[in-house]
Amino acid sequence: MEQEFKGQTRLPKFAIPKSYNLYLQPDLFACNFSGTVEIRLTITEPSSFMVLNSLELKIHEASFTSESNNQKYLPFDVLVDDEDEILVLPFDVPISVGDGVLKIDFSGSLNEHLRGFYRCTYLDGETKKNMVATQFEAVDARRCFPCWDEPALKATFRVAIDAPVELTALSNMPVADETIHGNIKTVTFQESPLMSTYLVAVVLGVFDHVEQTTSDGIKVRVYCPKGKRDEGTYALSLAVKSLDLFSQYFSMAYPLPKLDMVAVPEFSGGAMENNGLIIFRENELLQNDLISSASRKQRLAIVMAHEVAHHWFGNLVTMEWWTHLWLNEGFATWISYLATDIMFPEWKIWAQFLQMVTSGLRIDALQGSHPIEIEVKYARLVNETFDDVCYKKGSSVVRMLQGYLGDAIFQKSLSAYMKRYAWGNAKTEDLWSVLSEVSGVRVNSMMDSWTKQKGYPVISVKLKDQFLEFEQAQFLSSGQASNAANWIVPITLILGSYKRRKTFLLETEVGRFHLSDLDQSSNGDPISFGEDLWIKVNVEQSGFYRVKYENKLSARLKKAVVDNQLSATDKFGILDDVFALCESCELPLSNLLSLMDVYRKELDYALLSRLMDICYSILEVSTDAIPGSVNDLKAFFISLLQFSAGKLGWESVPGESHLDALLRGEILLTLAVLGHDGTINKAMNRFEAFLNDRNTPFLSADTRKAAYVAAMRNSNSTNTKRDGFESLLKIYRESDAVQEKERVLRCIATSSDPEVVEDALNLLVSDAVRDQDIVYGLAGISLEGREMAWRWLKEKWSFILNKYGDGLLITHFVRDIISPFCSHEKADEIETFFTEHGTGAIEMNLKQSIEKVRIKARWAESIVKQESSIEELVQQLTYSNK
């Protein structure tokens, strides 16, 4: 009977929810809960069925009462389909059109998988105790209560919950009423405005809090673990500033009476923008100046702005279906940088945004990528689309469009969009329509090529007889040709000076114009068409595309870098494009190494951070391709960083910039990984001082990671790599600061001894590490440990699947352990293993990871053919600069 509802993308539309009354009764000792939900519905057409979402819930009783005649309908069966995650209630007679209330009594388990309504633990002195929290995005509200669990089916919510009297109860809205019965209290919250089910939230726990009121009278609170109240003050100030900033930017007040932020000990993501109750994992919300690094402080600002921004982009105006998820995440990511730049202009955050653009470009150069707007036929599969395409490509194309339309028009358009769709839902086309109306530009035809098809172009640039010629083709890291459609590309370029600038749309495969056109359209000095005339396309890296210059233009541009005629962001772009072209075997490695050499006197944080990442990437491939040259390459990379390392040293300088603090930590870490003796010796001395005195001034929060890695990778007559592992383990166990525990885990698998890496991996899946924190360790597996890690994954695969299920965590095991390989043989082996042992939850991530391995294998084969010339070049570059 319920067969007609199986395998459907969306729920049938004959019943539409208007409001929910939800009462939850969790039992923190038995780790289960019971509940009642009363859903006010509008029946739009007569039906003998009610079909809604439910998963892993036991349904005890259900009834529907019609408001028009007060008739009560009882279903003759309760059909639960966990495969399709639906509950079907069949009735003997059709329910007539009109309003009514569906009442359901249900129960379930408080799971420990950090999704739906789940339990986690906190320490009360030495005693572990249970608390509860929720994580409903994308489709896990249905694990807590039966509901119409789709973003477009917005309703109001009145939530009530039973809690032990000593616990604080939080939900989306302020408390309306509280009654106490012995040692249990029932807390009822005010009714919410219209919102989607995935934004409903409750938390029960023991907290201290700090609070402040915004200029608009909104009460803002940060709830911290007991005794850590002061660590919430920085987050509180960021939240208040963000609320005021976004209210002004969108010309629309914050739509709720309060905003709470709460740090919970276990949480699957970094943070979640539940309406009026943002839930964070502790290390993403707490700030302690003695323990938190500059990068942590910066990340907290960006994450806070991102989550607060969602209260407009996502919560107030919500995507109509998961296909348009990027309207939430891409825009919130972009505007979090805009807000952070306003709050901290000295951080030069838009230059750092280029790291976001690079990540988007890298994933979207895979054949296994997908469009920003990805068709989601089965809601559960949306979890895999919370990826770099959604967040990083999404935010990058928003920035590109903002640059093309101009800041004022863009802001005016977004404000109009908010007003038009407030409390409702929107599709991508709706946003383009508003932008087109306000700007007068046909935005939809321009942007469809960026959101409805995967990939992006590489723009080839040539200069012939004073004509600039442009040609676009899809860029793929595999180097394979593609017949993809063209993009409408906003081209920006400068000619010999930032005063001579041109912007135009490349709408066809090829385009050309005479240089004299540029001369007439700019305010700069007349152009001298000499042999030194350089051209930089994609000014300040505002466009989401690659640029490939013909040899003579490339040589001129390199000279312009040497002569310091370009901004740091344009230098970043040139380096990043050459790396990508080299990896795709369109340029030889020697071109990249020669270009890297001219960056040795740079001090810009974002630029040097990218340079260091490229060093790691080259080493990863060269270890397989030209193992005999790896030590020379390391020596070359060390030489590139000597100038900046010498300038910054180990000690911070009073009044130094935030960017210097960031750069110091990264450079020392890279030198430690590369095996630079001077860095490792100093690191070990400081590490010993830290082991003897955790408050020593000799090892700051910013340089600690470098010392930890040095300890993990260093061995001499008195110190073995095992000693480093044991020392870090001791720090991990003794520290009660989540920031310190995270830092240890990020370094724990960096040993060059595969056996120590295996110990680290076993630690990660033991009870000593919270499930949410495993990702930190996986991301740090050393190059030397990759073979051991793969062997370990195969042996532990069944255990991992059983213990962690098919959530997001499992994709990290796959991606972080598989991606570092660089041979076709290993790719074949991985494919064979997962053909026999795979699961649908990792399908897209597995496909992308294997493609990355094959891309590097192809690059490695190319490097082997260049080996002798590379060896000679590296020695020349390294030692001629000494």
Side-chain angles (χ1 to χ4, degrees):
M1 184 181 293
E2 80 277 16
Q3 289 302 311
E4 62 184 287
F5 307 118
K6 282 186 69 64
Q8 301 299 309
T9 302
R10 312 276 285 261
L11 293 169
K13 295 290 190 285
F14 38 68
I16 306 296
K18 298 298 178 187
S19 66
Y20 291 78
N21 267 0
L22 175 63
Y23 176 36
L24 295 169
Q25 297 172 283
D27 185 331
L28 274 63
F29 297 100
C31 297
N32 57 34
F33 66 95
S34 58
T36 300
V37 65
E38 295 177 351
I39 311 170
R40 189 164 182 271
L41 301 169
T42 295
I43 308 299
T44 58
E45 57 183 274
S47 174
S48 300
F49 297 95
M50 290 277 183
V51 185
L52 60 160
N53 294 113
S54 179
L55 181 61
E56 296 172 358
L57 296 175
K58 190 173 183 182
I59 307 301
H60 300 287
E61 201 172 312
S63 65
F64 178 79
T65 304
S66 171
E67 288 184 3
S68 58
N69 57 16
N70 214 29
Q71 183 178 350
K72 190 172 185 177
Y73 298 81
L74 297 174
F76 64 80
D77 202 355
V78 174
L79 304 167
V80 177
D81 186 333
D82 274 354
E83 185 183 342
D84 277 85
E85 304 182 4
I86 57 173
L87 164 64
V88 181
L89 302 173
F91 296 89
D92 286 320
V93 293
I95 297 170
S96 52
V97 171
D99 292 346
V101 174
L102 175 65
K103 182 180 179 182
I104 303 175
D105 295 333
F106 57 92
S107 62
S109 296
L110 291 170
N111 72 77
E112 50 188 352
H113 297 304
L114 313 185
R115 60 191 185 189
F117 195 23
Y118 70 90
R119 73 180 188 272
C120 51
T121 58
Y122 68 97
L123 280 178
D124 182 6
E126 295 297 312
T127 309
K128 266 190 176 183
K129 292 186 175 178
N130 284 337
M131 59 174 285
V132 295
T134 56
Q135 171 55 33
F136 290 166
E137 191 180 30
V139 287
D140 285 322
R142 63 192 68 178
R143 291 183 193 270
C144 179
F145 60 100
C147 56
W148 274 258
D149 200 9
E150 296 181 4
L153 298 174
K154 288 188 168 184
T156 60
F157 291 83
R158 184 184 293 274
V159 176
I161 189 166
D162 283 356
V165 289
E166 69 274 13
L167 298 190
T168 300
L170 302 171
S171 188
N172 306 89
M173 298 295 288
V175 173
D177 184 53
E178 188 175 302
T179 56
I180 297 177
H181 321 279
N183 60 355
I184 296 290
K185 61 184 177 183
T186 300
V187 183
T188 304
F189 299 91
Q190 294 176 19
E191 188 170 25
S192 76
L194 287 170
M195 64 183 191
S196 304
T197 47
Y198 78 86
L199 294 168
V200 178
V202 292
V203 173
L204 299 181
V206 176
F207 304 105
D208 284 340
H209 75 268
V210 287
E211 68 177 67
Q212 201 175 325
T213 303
T214 70
S215 55
D216 290 339
I218 306 298
K219 184 172 280 188
V220 184
R221 286 181 171 177
V222 173
Y223 288 85
C224 309
K226 209 77 174 164
K228 296 193 176 182
R229 182 176 179 273
D230 291 346
E231 294 186 29
T233 53
Y234 176 61
L236 181 66
S237 70
L238 292 170
V240 169
K241 287 175 187 172
S242 297
L243 282 172
D244 288 340
L245 194 154
F246 292 133
S247 296
Q248 291 174 24
Y249 187 87
F250 292 120
S251 304
M252 182 172 282
Y254 174 71
L256 296 169
K258 62 93 174 172
L259 175 62
D260 291 334
M261 286 139 291
V262 57
V264 299
E266 294 173 69
F267 194 66
S268 60
M272 173 63 205
E273 70 273 11
N274 310 296
N275 231 7
L277 177 60
I278 305 173
I279 301 178
F280 292 77
R281 60 170 66 189
E282 288 176 353
N283 58 329
E284 297 282 9
L285 186 66
L286 306 180
Q287 168 70 19
N288 179 327
D289 286 336
L290 293 175
I291 301 167
S292 302
S293 61
S295 61
R296 256 285 154 224
K297 186 175 183 180
Q298 176 178 295
R299 177 168 164 79
L300 175 48
I302 294 168
V303 171
M304 181 62 75
H306 181 110
E307 303 305 332
V308 173
H310 270 310
H311 283 77
W312 285 266
F313 252 110
N315 300 8
L316 182 64
V317 180
T318 310
M319 74 252 149
E320 193 276 337
W321 181 242
W322 298 109
T323 296
H324 307 282
L325 174 65
W326 87 283
L327 286 179
N328 279 20
E329 301 303 347
F331 270 87
T333 302
W334 161 77
I335 208 166
S336 68
Y337 277 77
L338 182 142
T340 303
D341 187 50
I342 292 169
M343 291 189 280
F344 302 100
E346 70 277 13
W347 289 2
K348 298 181 181 175
I349 207 72
W350 282 118
Q352 296 186 57
F353 182 79
L354 296 184
Q355 296 164 336
M356 187 82 62
V357 180
T358 293
S359 296
L361 289 167
R362 285 183 70 70
I363 193 170
D364 207 33
L366 300 177
Q367 288 175 313
S369 182
H370 60 83
I372 285 177
E373 294 181 67
I374 183 169
E375 190 178 349
V376 178
K377 290 184 177 177
Y378 181 49
R380 178 64 49 194
L381 295 180
V382 74
N383 285 335
E384 271 210 298
T385 67
F386 284 80
D387 65 0
D388 283 356
V389 171
C390 177
Y391 285 77
K392 297 179 180 180
K393 181 183 181 181
S395 56
S396 299
V397 299
V398 172
R399 176 173 171 262
M400 178 170 69
L401 180 60
Q402 177 200 21
Y404 181 71
L405 296 178
D407 295 354
I409 284 175
F410 202 67
Q411 181 178 351
K412 187 179 176 185
S413 302
L414 294 186
S415 180
Y417 170 76
M418 285 295 155
K419 287 183 175 64
R420 184 173 301 181
Y421 293 100
W423 309 112
N425 297 81
K427 298 179 179 179
T428 303
E429 293 80 1
D430 298 323
L431 177 60
W432 296 159
S433 176
V434 174
L435 281 160
S436 298
E437 284 174 32
V438 175
S439 68
V441 174
R442 287 172 51 228
V443 171
N444 56 343
S445 59
M446 172 182 163
M447 294 306 293
D448 278 355
S449 64
W450 295 98
T451 64
K452 291 187 184 299
Q453 65 180 4
K454 68 180 179 182
Y456 59 87
V458 55
I459 309 296
S460 296
V461 186
K462 294 177 181 174
L463 181 60
K464 285 186 181 175
D465 303 324
Q466 296 190 15
F467 276 96
L468 261 186
E469 295 182 353
F470 300 86
E471 183 176 355
Q472 63 162 300
Q474 184 180 1
F475 179 78
L476 289 168
S477 295
S478 63
Q480 295 177 350
S482 168
N483 298 319
N486 287 337
W487 287 260
I488 297 179
V489 189
I491 300 285
T492 54
L493 65 94
I494 47 175
L495 199 67
S497 160
Y498 283 90
K499 293 178 181 176
R500 284 192 292 270
R501 189 180 185 121
K502 184 175 178 67
T503 301
F504 69 97
L505 283 183
L506 180 63
E507 301 189 50
T508 52
E509 188 178 338
V510 294
R512 73 196 298 255
F513 67 84
H514 199 274
L515 291 183
S516 60
D517 295 345
L518 182 62
D519 202 14
Q520 293 161 11
S521 66
S522 63
N523 300 318
D525 300 325
I527 299 173
S528 168
F529 298 110
E531 287 300 306
D532 288 339
L533 181 67
W534 55 265
I535 295 153
K536 170 66 175 67
V537 178
N538 197 8
V539 183
E540 306 293 359
Q541 298 308 107
S542 60
F544 192 77
Y545 53 89
R546 298 274 183 211
V547 183
K548 182 181 182 183
Y549 302 91
E550 64 176 340
N551 288 342
K552 68 179 178 186
L553 291 180
S554 184
R556 294 179 190 180
L557 206 48
K558 182 178 171 184
K559 186 175 185 305
V561 172
V562 173
D563 295 341
N564 211 25
Q565 293 182 278
L566 291 156
S567 69
T569 49
D570 279 322
K571 290 177 187 175
F572 179 114
I574 293 163
L575 177 64
D576 193 44
D577 283 344
V578 169
F579 169 77
L581 291 164
C582 189
E583 184 184 44
S584 64
C585 303
E586 292 187 42
L587 290 176
L589 180 58
S590 55
N591 282 34
L592 176 58
L593 296 172
S594 299
L595 178 64
M596 291 167 74
D597 189 58
V598 305
Y599 286 82
R600 60 176 64 242
K601 291 291 174 70
E602 293 293 342
L603 288 168
D604 179 81
Y605 167 68
L607 178 54
L608 282 176
S609 184
R610 184 71 193 114
L611 183 72
M612 287 183 273
D613 284 343
I614 288 171
C615 291
Y616 289 133
S617 296
I618 294 172
L619 273 184
E620 193 174 69
V621 178
S622 299
T623 301
D624 277 18
I626 45 173
S629 298
V630 164
N631 286 337
D632 284 340
L633 279 168
K634 285 182 178 179
F636 170 54
F637 297 152
I638 287 167
S639 77
L640 291 180
L641 300 175
Q642 285 305 295
F643 176 76
S644 48
K647 285 274 188 187
L648 293 167
W650 277 84
E651 304 291 345
S652 59
V653 179
E656 74 175 2
S657 75
H658 165 79
L659 293 170
D660 280 352
L662 282 178
L663 185 56
R664 175 182 295 108
E666 283 198 29
I667 283 180
L668 292 173
L669 173 63
T670 303
L671 289 172
V673 172
L674 292 173
H676 180 240
D677 290 338
T679 302
I680 286 173
N681 291 337
K682 288 178 182 175
M684 291 307 296
N685 289 336
R686 289 166 189 269
F687 183 65
E688 291 299 327
F690 180 73
L691 288 179
N692 295 326
D693 173 12
R694 296 289 196 271
N695 297 312
T696 179
F698 294 113
L699 195 59
S700 69
D702 291 312
T703 58
R704 214 167 288 169
K705 201 170 167 189
Y708 288 178
V709 168
M712 286 298 300
R713 296 182 66 79
N714 184 48
S715 61
N716 54 37
S717 55
T718 58
N719 182 81
T720 69
K721 291 165 188 174
R722 171 84 45 197
D723 292 337
F725 177 75
E726 295 298 337
S727 297
L728 255 65
L729 204 50
K730 189 169 187 285
I731 295 167
Y732 180 82
R733 287 172 176 152
E734 291 177 357
S735 177
D736 70 340
V738 288
Q739 300 95 329
E740 198 63 69
K741 286 180 180 292
E742 177 198 339
R743 185 156 39 230
V744 169
L745 290 177
R746 286 189 182 278
C747 303
I748 202 76
T750 58
S751 174
S752 53
D753 182 340
E755 289 185 9
V756 177
V757 172
E758 184 178 23
D759 289 342
L761 291 169
N762 286 327
L763 171 74
L764 293 177
V765 296
S766 72
D767 292 340
V769 176
R770 293 185 187 271
D771 291 0
Q772 64 170 17
D773 295 335
I774 294 170
V775 295
Y776 303 133
L778 292 174
I781 297 170
S782 67
L783 211 51
E784 298 89 346
R786 59 184 173 176
E787 191 64 56
M788 171 62 81
W790 168 235
R791 211 160 50 238
W792 176 88
L793 182 68
K794 287 186 290 185
E795 290 169 7
K796 295 277 188 182
W797 183 244
S798 295
F799 164 80
I800 288 166
L801 270 181
N802 290 333
K803 184 172 182 181
Y804 305 113
D806 60 357
L808 281 176
L809 175 57
I810 202 165
T811 63
H812 288 270
F813 280 101
V814 171
R815 187 170 62 234
D816 292 337
I817 290 177
I818 288 171
S819 296
F821 287 110
C822 307
S823 75
H824 290 298
E825 294 76 18
K826 192 58 69 177
D828 292 339
E829 183 187 328
I830 292 163
E831 276 182 338
T832 301
F833 176 81
F834 283 108
T835 300
E836 297 170 17
H837 302 95
T839 168
I842 62 166
E843 188 177 342
M844 188 167 74
N845 271 280
L846 177 64
K847 185 180 174 187
Q848 290 175 351
S849 297
I850 291 171
E851 185 181 348
K852 288 176 188 173
V853 174
R854 294 200 184 281
I855 285 164
K856 287 184 289 182
R858 180 172 175 266
W859 190 19
E861 290 167 353
S862 167
I863 291 172
V864 169
K865 294 170 188 169
Q866 310 162 40
E867 182 168 7
S868 57
S869 61
I870 290 171
E871 208 167 292
E872 192 179 321
L873 175 67
V874 169
Q875 293 199 354
Q876 178 192 332
L877 293 174
T878 307
Y879 303 110
S880 64
N881 283 286
K882 282 203 165 181

